[in-house]
């Protein structure tokens, strides 16, 4: 055994660099361990258990290493002595020898270091680990300095020191990083109470917050702050002043609450910005910056979403949908080791039981559909009903938006009339999902599929609402554009009239400027759109919070306290406590983000509002969950559906990109407000910058690049590239599937072989019994033969030892049979080490299931 | 620090927890390396382990004497293995130990039944339990000996999506 280990160690040394082989070695080591353990189990009568065996093994290793170290030491000493005593006599020979030794020593040191670094991965007892570690550290320290004697000694020592420092620094940095992750404690706390699925929502929220923070930084740093600091102050221009007619009420709260008055004419909205090309002493090109920031908001979001999606996809390929081990996995990995709350534990027990029962039922009757027609009919009916609902809600919103346009023309509209659109949309968002859920009960899908459907339907509802809203808004915008033309003329004439009237008084021709509040102005549709989005966002926030407060908190209070004097058990019966609605919350978050993306071009302050919203909802929802929700009865697997959320987010991002791009590309900007006023289209600002600020040849290059003759081939090229990559990935997938099939075949074959072997085992054993003695001596075969021949007699004196041997031999044969298994193992696991299947070493998954950290002990911040 | 997946601070905090459970037994000062062990009863009442159906097994498989009493080293070891940073291979080894109830280095049918009963709080009928156990063995047993060795277990568990 020792030799074997030695060998494996040598191999270890030999291909240290090669990671793959190292991994293989790891397997082998495990196998060795297993073999040893098997042997250990054979010697059960001696009372040797596996752990002790393990210990012994490790002890052996340790001894060996220390021995080796001592040897090395001696050698080193000898070498030194030699070198000092007979340095002159045979220097060349000596040097080569010492070189060799040096190399060996170096190797040993390296090995020790490796041992230190992999120490934490070894399944040893802590005491052993500590002692081995100390020994290894001593060794390394002792010989590290001695290693690089001669020319590179100092450099080597320095390098070593730096490496140590670097490691320490990295470690400290890791610590720092884990401490910097915001809300880690809070999320862990929630996770420990509600399992990983609810925590996944909060992690998503945190991610969202990070993205929004970056967007906020972009917009505030590059648009709003320059405008506030360097732009013209409030009141200097018509677009920066409240019109005379509104000034009386401009500071009223009710007006401000509708984002009219002073807020409308502030840097939060598009209309406030001036079309001056450069502002301030920095010559900051604000319109250009505005445009570029608007584009980069989308660019950054797209990049981030796609990157995290790709990362998730990489991770999710690890779990190939291998349905070979349904029961085994359920058995060994269904317990969520993060659960620390008795209620959650109860729920988990229940859900595990039901899932077991479900799969048992599935197993027992794989195909027994009693009334397929009825079910189909019900499903079709449900879909028809839901489509009706969707159409109805779409129409309702369209109708309401239309009506609101007439309301907006009336001067004395009440609060309800002004906020009708928001109210109706929020109400629809509140009541439609439960309605869908009721309808979905007709369909009788498996809950996971049902959840997907539900998510898809709510998504469609929200999307439909959003787009109807947008269409109605578009109508509004077109109307405003028509109106604008009229106003433009009026403004023009007023200004002209003013000039004329003042020209008479003042001979120099510089008329006293008309008070900016008095200038008639256009409707500025961009600001209107921005205000709509801001209002929608704010009302959404309010509705969400009120729902949480009423639906969760008040209900929980009611159930909790009225339960003492009620005729039935409220906690277990009808109202009970609310569950945390993950899917709904995630969808709400996603749609909110879509609105932010759409609105941020017209209302730069919107992102700031959203950042505040996410920040508060992090605390508020955490509190609400902890205080008034109960864990799910049915656990919704978060790890897999996360990419689903991301996909939704991507879809929304794309869909919100469309209207913004449309307005930028094809609608003329208002003539008297916003950074692009006076231009035909918004993107003209780029052309202008190129023409005026870049050298001529750059402008030429741009004009060539913008040529359709170049763009179309470029697009074609991209399409081709996509096609090619798609084909390649498909081929890989096919290869993957093939390999999987092969593995499966292998497994089946192996199993069959085993089964056959099990049946033929007795025969084999006999054969072996016959064979093994024959190689050793000559008399045992005779015994065996004798035994065989004389077995009917049963009185032979030779018989007993023979029998004994047979008995001894049989477990040996069994052990050997077991020892044969590893090769198959290698075959099965090898594809995985190639990296096609899975990153084998434990990757940190965002949401862990079994054997994850013990609750509250996650990244090291225990929370109790 | 090199032995575990924890930082110095975390280890100190763990020591705080360890001390907290039995303030009169565990000394605050560990420089003299005292030989102190806490009985299982105290450990499994920690909130992290309280609800775990395998708490006894977890503690037992990490304790040096196999009886369930943990020294501080074992205690740290346990949390180190259970922490997020530990690799799957290591976890697989300990998971195997945990599920191996009678410590014969195989997960046999009796072990499976025990596991299942703990997982479901004995709400399945006897037939269902035997069915599930048979299925498990059929699925995961590669060498056909009617019980799961560590290779079988590792092979099975390393493919599990939820195992971490």
């Amino acid at each position: 055994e020792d030799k074997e280990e030695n060998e494996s160690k040598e191999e270890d040394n030999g291909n240290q660099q090669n990671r793959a082989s190292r991994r293989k070695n790891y397997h082998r080591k495990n196998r060795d361990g297993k073999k040893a353990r098997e042997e250990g189990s054979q010697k059960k009568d001696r009372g040797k258990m596996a752990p002790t065996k393990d210990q012994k093994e490790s002890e052996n290793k340790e001894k060996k290493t220390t021995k080796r170290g001592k040897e090395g030491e001696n050698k080193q000493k000898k070498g030194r002595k030699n070198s000092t005593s007979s340095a002159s006599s045979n220097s060349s020979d000596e040097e080569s020898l010492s070189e060799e030794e040096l190399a060996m020593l170096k190797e040993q040191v390296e090995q020790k270091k490796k041992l230190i670094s992999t120490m934490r991965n070894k399944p040893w007892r802590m005491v052993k680990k500590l002692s081995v570690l100390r020994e290894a550290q001593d060794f390394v320290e002792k010989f590290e300095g001695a290693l690089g004697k001669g020319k590179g000694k100092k450099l080597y020592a320095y390098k070593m020191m730096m490496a140590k420092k670097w490691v320490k620094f990295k470690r400290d940095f890791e610590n720092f990083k884990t401490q910097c992750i915001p809300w880690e404690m809070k999320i862990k706390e929630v996770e420990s109470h509600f399992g990983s699925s609810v925590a996944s929502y909060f992690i998503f929220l945190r991610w969202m917050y990070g993205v929004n923070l970056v967007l906020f930084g972009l917009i505030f740093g590059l648009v709003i702050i320059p405008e506030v600091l360097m732009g013209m102050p409030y009141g200097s221009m018509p677009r920066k002043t409240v019109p005379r007619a509104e000034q009386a009420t401009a500071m009223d709260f009710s007006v401000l609450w509708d984002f009219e008055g002073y807020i409308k004419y502030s840097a939060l909205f598009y209309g406030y910005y001036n079309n001056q090309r450069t502002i301030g002493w920095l010559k900051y090109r604000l319109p250009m910056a505005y445009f570029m920031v608007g584009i980069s908001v989308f660019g950054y979001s797209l990049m981030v979403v796609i990157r995290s999606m790709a990362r998730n996809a990489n991770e999710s390929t690890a779990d190939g949908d291998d349905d070979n081990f349904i029961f085994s996995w359920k058995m060994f990995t269904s317990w969520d080791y993060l659960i620390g709350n008795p209620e959650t534990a109860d729920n988990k027990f229940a859900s595990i039981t039901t899932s077991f029962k479900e799969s048992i039922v599935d197993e027992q009757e794989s195909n027994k559909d009693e009334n397929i027609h009825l079910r189909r009919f019900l499903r079709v009916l449900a879909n028809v009903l839901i489509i009706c609902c969707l159409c109805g809600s779409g129409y309702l919103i369209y109708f309401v938006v239309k009506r609101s346009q007439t309301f907006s023309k009336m001067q004395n509209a009440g609060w309800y009339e002004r906020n009708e659109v928001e109210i109706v949309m929020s109400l629809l968002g509140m009541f439609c999902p439960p309605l869908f859920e009721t309808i979905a009960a007709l369909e009788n899908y498996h809950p996971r599929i049902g959840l997907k459907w539900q998510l898809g339907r709510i998504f469609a509802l929200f999307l439909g609402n959003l787009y109807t809203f947008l269409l109605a808004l578009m109508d509004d915008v077109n109307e405003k554009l028509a109106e604008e033309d009229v106003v433009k003329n009026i403004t023009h004439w007023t200004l002209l009239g003013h000039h004329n009237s003042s020209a008479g008084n003042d001979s120099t021709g510089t008329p006293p400027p008309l008070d900016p509040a008095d200038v008639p102005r256009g409707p500025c549709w961009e600001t209107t759109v921005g205000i709509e989005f801001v209002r929608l966002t704010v009302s959404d926030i309010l509705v969400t919070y009120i729902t949480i407060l009423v639906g969760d908190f008040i209900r929980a209070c009611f159930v909790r306290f009225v339960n003492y004097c009620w005729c039935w058990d409220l906690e277990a019966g009808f109202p009970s406590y609310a569950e945390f609605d993950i899917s709904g919350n995630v969808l709400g978050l996603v749609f909110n983000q879509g609105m932010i993306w759409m609105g941020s071009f017209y209302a730069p302050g919107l992102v700031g509002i959203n950042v505040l919203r996410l920040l508060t909802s992090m605390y508020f929802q955490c509190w609400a969950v902890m205080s008034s929700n109960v864990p799910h009865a049915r656990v919704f697997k978060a790890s897999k559906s996360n990419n689903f959320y991301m996909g939704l987010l991507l879809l929304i991002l794309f869909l919100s990109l469309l209207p913004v791009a449309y307005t930028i590309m094809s609608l003329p900007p208002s003539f008297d407000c916003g950074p692009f006023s006076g231009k035909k289209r918004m993107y003209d600002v780029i052309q202008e910058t190129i023409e005026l600020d870049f050298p001529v040849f750059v402008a030429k290059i741009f004009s060539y690049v913008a040529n359709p003759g170049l763009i179309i081939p470029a697009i074609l090229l991209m399409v081709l590239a996509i096609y090619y990559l798609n084909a390649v990935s498909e081929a890989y997938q096919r290869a993957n599937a093939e390999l999987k099939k092969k593995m499966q075949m292998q497994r089946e074959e192996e199993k069959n072989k085993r089964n056959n072997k099990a049946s033929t085992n007795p025969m084999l054993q006999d054969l072996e019994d016959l064979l093994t003695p024959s190689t050793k001596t000559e008399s045992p075969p005779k015994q065996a033969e004798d035994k065989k021949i004389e077995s009917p007699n049963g009185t032979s004196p030779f018989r007993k030892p023979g029998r004994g041997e047979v008995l001894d031999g049989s477990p040996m044969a069994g052990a050997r049979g077991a020892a044969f298994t590893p090769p198959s193992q290698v075959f099965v696991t090898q594809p995985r080490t190639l990296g096609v299947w899975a990153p084998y070493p434990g990757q940190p998954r965002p949401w862990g299931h079994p054997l994850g950290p013990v609750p509250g002990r996650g990244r090291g911040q225990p929370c109790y | 620090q090199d032995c575990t997946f924890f930082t110095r601070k975390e280890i100190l905090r763990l020591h705080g927890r360890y001390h907290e459970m039995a303030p009169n037994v565990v000394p605050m000062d560990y420089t003299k390396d005292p030989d102190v062990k806490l009985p299982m009863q105290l450990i499994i009442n920690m909130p992290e382990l309280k609800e775990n159906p395998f708490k006894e097994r977890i503690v037992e498989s990490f304790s040096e004497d196999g009886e369930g009493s943990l020294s501080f080293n074992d205690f740290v070891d346990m949390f180190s293995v259970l922490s997020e940073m530990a690799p799957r291979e290591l976890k697989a080894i300990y998971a195997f130990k945990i599920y191996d109830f009678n410590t014969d280095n195989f997960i046999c049918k009796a072990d499976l039944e025990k596991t299942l009963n703990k997982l479901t709080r004995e709400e399945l009928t006897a037939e269902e339990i035997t069915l599930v156990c048979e299925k498990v063995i059929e699925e995961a047993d590669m060498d056909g000996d009617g019980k799961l060795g560590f290779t079988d277990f590792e092979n099975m568990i390393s493919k599990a999506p939820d195992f971490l």
Side-chain angles (χ1 to χ4, degrees):
Chain A
E1 196 189 315
D2 266 7
K3 255 183 202 168
E4 216 176 84
E5 237 165 37
N6 251 336
E7 266 172 30
S8 73
K9 255 205 177 150
E10 290 302 327
E11 270 176 37
D12 248 289
N13 288 337
N15 35 24
Q16 259 174 21
Q17 269 78 27
N18 198 336
R19 275 192 76 207
S21 65
R22 202 164 66 192
R23 205 171 288 161
K24 225 187 283 172
N25 272 339
Y26 196 93
H27 279 283
R28 192 166 301 156
K29 228 182 253 168
N30 278 346
R31 237 179 296 124
D32 285 347
K34 196 219 163 185
K35 226 185 276 174
R37 240 173 274 160
E38 271 171 7
E39 273 160 43
S41 69
Q42 275 175 37
K43 295 168 197 162
K44 213 176 184 180
D45 46 351
R46 253 193 270 159
K48 282 272 174 195
M49 296 291 171
T52 54
K53 188 76 192 169
D54 245 17
Q55 276 175 30
K56 220 171 109 190
E57 212 175 312
S58 63
E59 261 172 302
N60 276 343
K61 228 181 242 174
E62 187 190 330
K63 265 181 206 160
K64 217 182 302 144
T65 45
T66 53
K67 224 187 278 169
R68 252 200 206 177
K70 267 172 196 162
E71 263 175 41
E73 211 173 338
N74 287 338
K75 261 186 196 169
Q76 179 79 9
K77 270 181 191 165
K78 235 188 256 168
R80 264 191 202 158
K81 243 184 233 167
N82 278 343
S83 65
T84 47
S85 64
S86 57
S88 55
S89 58
N90 44 1
S91 61
S92 63
D93 195 71
E94 179 55 37
E95 208 166 6
S96 71
L97 208 151
S98 68
E99 199 96 311
E100 224 168 69
E101 272 181 7
L102 258 184
M104 252 183 71
L105 204 61
K106 215 172 197 169
E107 215 168 67
Q108 277 174 21
V109 169
E110 284 300 313
Q111 188 190 320
K112 281 280 179 194
K113 269 189 195 156
K114 217 183 88 197
L115 186 68
I116 290 176
S117 63
T118 55
M119 177 75 68
R120 53 183 74 174
N121 294 350
K122 300 248 158 73
W124 301 344
R125 294 276 165 224
M126 190 57 90
V127 184
K128 220 99 275 169
K129 273 189 193 170
L130 275 177
S131 59
V132 173
L133 177 74
R134 258 175 218 146
E135 209 129 344
Q137 270 173 346
D138 284 350
F139 182 84
V140 167
E141 244 162 57
K142 214 182 256 168
F143 292 110
E144 217 160 46
L147 251 183
K149 69 173 177 181
K151 33 199 170 176
K153 181 174 180 179
K154 264 196 182 156
L155 188 74
Y156 185 77
Y158 179 71
K159 249 199 222 157
M160 279 297 127
M161 205 183 71
M162 284 317 284
K164 256 188 213 163
K165 283 260 162 69
W166 176 241
V167 167
K168 192 171 179 313
F169 173 75
K170 267 204 294 199
R171 201 176 265 169
D172 284 349
F173 189 68
E174 275 308 301
N175 286 351
F176 180 69
K177 246 180 20 191
T178 46
Q179 278 186 352
C180 277
I181 297 174
W183 304 306
E184 189 72 11
M185 294 273 266
K186 257 191 179 341
I187 291 177
K188 289 281 176 226
E189 204 178 322
V190 170
E191 194 170 15
S192 65
H193 277 88
F194 292 86
S196 46
S197 54
V198 175
S200 80
Y201 165 72
F202 285 99
I203 290 169
F204 188 61
L205 183 65
R206 187 174 64 184
W207 185 84
M208 226 42 166
Y209 181 71
V211 172
N212 272 291
L213 219 53
V214 173
L215 298 185
F216 177 74
L218 262 179
I219 289 179
F220 261 62
L222 294 178
V223 173
I224 295 186
I225 288 182
E227 170 69 29
V228 169
L229 288 185
M230 300 188 289
M232 312 248 290
Y234 171 82
S236 58
M237 300 177 66
R239 71 186 64 177
K240 296 192 181 188
T241 8
V242 179
R244 180 82 62 199
E246 293 173 24
Q247 259 175 13
T249 57
M251 221 31 205
D252 291 0
F253 183 74
S254 67
V255 174
L256 288 183
W257 185 244
D258 286 338
F259 298 97
E260 299 281 346
Y262 281 109
I263 290 186
K264 187 177 174 186
Y265 299 96
S266 72
L268 293 183
F269 290 105
Y270 172 94
Y272 183 77
Y273 294 85
N274 196 359
N275 63 342
Q276 228 178 345
R277 270 201 68 232
T278 58
I279 56 169
W281 49 273
L282 278 177
K283 299 278 171 218
Y284 191 75
R285 285 168 176 74
L286 190 78
M288 179 71 183
Y290 196 99
F291 191 78
M292 291 316 273
V293 164
I295 289 177
S296 59
V297 161
F298 281 103
Y300 173 77
S301 316
L302 263 178
M303 203 187 71
V304 166
V305 171
I306 287 184
R307 221 184 59 188
S308 79
M309 265 184 94
R311 205 173 330 123
N312 282 352
N314 266 346
E315 267 167 23
S316 66
T317 46
D319 43 75
D321 31 1
D322 219 350
D323 45 356
N324 289 331
F325 302 114
I326 310 165
F327 281 98
S328 316
W329 286 348
K330 275 214 180 103
M331 174 86 86
F332 293 121
T333 67
S334 52
W335 182 257
D336 193 337
Y337 275 58
L338 296 169
I339 292 170
N341 182 347
E343 283 176 43
T344 320
D346 281 345
N347 279 329
K348 189 76 190 172
F349 281 126
S351 81
I352 288 173
T353 312
T354 46
S355 85
F356 264 117
K357 276 186 178 157
E358 268 174 21
S359 45
I360 287 169
V361 169
D362 280 356
E363 192 64 32
Q364 275 170 350
E365 35 171 334
S366 50
N367 249 332
K368 202 184 142 197
D369 238 345
E370 71 284 11
N371 198 344
I372 203 159
H373 292 294
L374 179 66
R375 182 167 292 179
R376 264 186 203 156
F377 170 72
L378 282 179
R379 280 181 187 177
V380 169
L381 182 72
N383 276 315
V384 167
L385 280 177
I386 279 169
I387 287 172
C388 286
C389 280
L390 287 177
C391 291
S393 74
Y395 179 73
L396 187 63
I397 287 180
Y398 188 75
F399 174 73
V400 167
V401 172
K402 275 279 166 208
R403 218 159 69 124
S404 79
Q405 282 163 12
T406 56
F407 279 139
S408 68
K409 286 193 188 100
M410 297 193 309
Q411 285 307 308
N412 53 350
W415 179 84
Y416 170 74
E417 271 106 17
R418 270 182 284 122
N419 292 294
E420 199 184 35
V421 182
E422 287 79 18
I423 292 170
V424 167
M425 277 182 79
S426 303
L427 284 181
L428 276 177
M430 235 162 76
F431 287 112
C432 273
L435 186 68
F436 287 174
E437 215 159 310
T438 337
I439 294 172
L442 279 179
E443 295 178 307
N444 199 11
Y445 274 127
H446 186 272
R448 189 169 297 142
I449 304 166
L451 191 80
K452 279 259 159 79
W453 274 96
Q454 172 78 354
L455 273 175
R457 279 165 187 161
I458 300 175
F459 190 78
L461 169 80
F462 281 7
L463 205 66
N465 294 356
L466 205 64
Y467 257 66
T468 347
F469 173 72
L470 278 182
L471 283 181
L473 213 60
M474 228 36 148
D475 276 359
D476 205 18
V477 166
N478 283 333
E479 238 167 64
K480 289 241 157 96
L481 279 176
E483 190 187 332
E484 206 174 67
D485 280 339
V486 182
V487 178
K488 206 172 176 177
N489 286 335
I490 298 173
T491 319
H492 187 69
W493 284 113
T494 348
L495 281 180
L496 213 64
H498 184 68
H499 274 260
N500 286 344
S501 63
S502 57
N505 304 335
D506 207 336
S507 55
T508 50
T510 49
L514 183 66
D515 187 52
D518 291 330
V519 176
R521 55 189 79 178
C524 195
W525 60 268
E526 290 96 338
T527 301
T528 319
V529 172
I531 287 177
E532 282 300 324
F533 275 112
V534 172
R535 269 199 214 150
L536 208 59
T537 309
V538 169
S539 71
D540 184 45
I541 296 170
L542 289 183
V543 167
T544 314
Y545 285 2
I546 289 171
T547 331
I548 290 173
L549 212 58
V550 173
D552 291 351
F553 185 63
I554 305 280
R555 176 170 155 191
C557 284
F558 177 78
V559 169
R560 178 79 182 76
F561 294 113
V562 181
N563 199 25
Y564 296 120
C565 47
W566 203 261
C567 42
W568 71 82
D569 189 8
L570 284 173
E571 283 184 354
F574 161 60
S576 90
Y577 297 106
E579 283 181 357
F580 185 73
D581 177 19
I582 305 169
S583 50
N585 273 310
V586 165
L587 276 181
L589 203 58
V590 165
F591 269 87
N592 174 54
Q593 193 57 36
M595 284 194 296
I596 302 304
W597 275 322
M598 269 194 261
S600 68
F601 191 75
Y602 299 114
L606 189 56
V607 181
I609 294 173
N610 194 39
V611 166
L612 280 183
R613 179 234 168 109
L614 292 179
L615 191 66
T616 49
S617 81
M618 190 77 193
Y619 288 104
F620 186 59
Q621 286 193 310
C622 264
W623 166 79
V625 162
M626 293 301 280
S627 67
S628 51
N629 280 10
V630 288
H632 283 251
R634 171 140 253 147
V635 178
F636 172 58
K637 277 275 166 53
S639 54
K640 269 185 182 166
S641 55
N642 190 39
N643 235 359
F644 190 64
Y645 298 160
M646 284 290 174
L648 291 184
L649 198 63
L650 188 66
L651 190 62
I652 275 289
L653 177 56
F654 184 69
L655 290 176
S656 58
L657 181 60
L658 281 184
V660 174
Y662 170 73
T663 49
I664 287 179
M665 292 318 251
S666 57
L667 287 184
S670 304
F671 73 101
D672 67 342
C673 67
F676 312 114
S677 54
K679 298 192 176 57
K680 263 215 184 82
R681 294 278 181 263
M682 290 179 187
Y683 57 84
D684 281 347
V685 78
I686 290 184
Q687 282 175 7
E688 190 190 74
T689 310
I690 288 170
E691 274 166 24
L692 295 180
D693 295 334
F694 283 99
V696 183
F697 73 93
V698 177
K700 239 180 201 166
I701 289 174
F702 268 101
S703 70
Y704 284 136
V705 168
N707 196 3
L710 259 176
I711 289 179
I712 290 173
I715 290 176
L716 219 67
L717 196 70
M718 278 204 285
V719 169
L720 286 181
I722 289 171
Y723 174 75
Y724 171 72
L725 288 179
N726 205 24
V728 166
S729 80
E730 236 164 57
Y732 277 136
Q733 254 168 19
R734 216 171 306 134
N736 249 353
E738 202 79 357
L739 279 174
K740 216 177 248 181
K741 214 188 272 172
K742 249 180 210 164
M743 263 167 61
Q744 178 98 14
M745 296 251 290
Q746 201 97 31
R747 215 172 131 250
E748 295 290 315
E749 217 167 85
E750 207 59 46
K751 235 186 209 172
N752 284 343
K753 231 188 244 170
R754 289 292 147 225
N755 286 343
N756 287 343
K757 213 170 203 173
S759 61
T760 56
N761 233 4
M763 240 160 69
L764 274 178
Q765 268 175 31
D766 281 353
L767 254 176
E768 241 166 77
D769 293 338
L770 285 176
L771 284 176
T772 39
S774 72
T775 50
K776 277 177 187 169
T777 47
E778 291 219 330
S779 53
K782 264 184 197 166
Q783 275 179 19
E785 274 172 28
D786 284 344
K787 180 193 87 194
K788 268 202 173 171
I789 296 161
E790 292 175 10
S791 52
N793 274 346
T795 49
S796 158
F798 295 116
R799 212 180 124 206
K800 274 235 159 120
R803 215 5 105 68
E805 252 189 50
V806 169
L807 280 180
D808 265 344
S810 62
M812 250 268 280
R816 208 167 281 177
F820 279 154
T821 39
S824 77
Q825 197 67 16
V826 167
F827 235 101
V828 173
T829 50
Q830 225 165 14
R832 235 188 301 118
T833 56
L834 285 177
V836 181
W837 292 104
Y840 189 67
Q843 270 187 351
R845 269 297 165 79
W847 7 85
H849 273 289
L851 274 187
V854 180
R857 175 96 30 207
R859 278 277 167 75
Q861 279 121 327
C863 43
Y864 342 107
Chain B
Q1 225 178 51
D2 277 314
C3 293
T4 66
F5 297 93
F6 291 129
T7 58
R8 196 186 147 69
K9 226 174 151 184
E10 285 161 352
I11 291 176
L12 284 179
R13 204 177 284 146
L14 271 178
H15 179 248
R17 289 297 303 282
Y18 191 67
H19 176 81
E20 208 174 83
M21 283 189 294
N24 42 358
V25 185
V26 182
M28 272 319 274
D29 178 24
Y30 248 83
T31 45
K32 291 190 292 292
D33 215 11
D35 188 29
V36 175
K37 286 182 177 178
L38 286 187
M40 179 157 76
Q41 229 47 45
L42 279 173
I43 307 267
I44 60 176
N45 277 329
M46 285 176 71
E48 283 88 348
L49 290 176
K50 210 170 179 183
E51 294 305 324
N52 201 309
F54 306 114
K55 52 192 173 189
E56 288 97 354
R57 279 303 307 158
I58 293 175
V59 175
E60 266 169 34
S61 49
F62 280 98
S63 76
E64 203 156 352
D65 52 6
E67 300 278 303
S69 39
L70 294 186
S71 67
F72 178 59
N73 283 330
D74 298 331
F75 186 72
V76 174
D77 202 20
M78 176 165 83
F79 282 112
S80 165
V81 171
L82 290 176
S83 79
E84 264 173 26
M85 277 82 85
R88 282 167 77 138
E89 291 93 337
L90 187 65
K91 284 185 175 176
I93 292 167
Y94 279 102
F96 183 76
K97 273 192 195 172
I98 287 170
Y99 292 124
D100 180 15
F101 278 81
N102 46 15
T103 59
D104 60 352
N105 295 311
F106 285 104
I107 296 180
C108 52
K109 260 191 189 164
D111 294 331
L112 288 179
E113 276 164 22
K114 267 186 202 163
T115 311
L116 200 56
N117 278 333
K118 293 219 172 204
L119 266 183
T120 57
R121 289 201 176 147
E122 303 179 14
E123 277 172 33
L124 293 180
T125 60
E127 296 98 64
E128 282 169 333
I129 287 175
T130 45
L131 182 85
V132 170
C133 291
E134 271 167 19
K135 288 303 284 184
V136 168
I137 296 230
E138 189 189 317
E139 279 166 4
D141 186 19
M142 302 287 262
D143 45 14
D145 55 1
K147 48 195 178 180
L148 307 182
F150 179 66
T151 31
D152 297 330
F153 185 76
E154 199 202 9
N155 179 34
M156 182 268 296
I157 208 119
S158 62
K159 287 178 195 155
D162 291 338
F163 179 71
L164 190 100

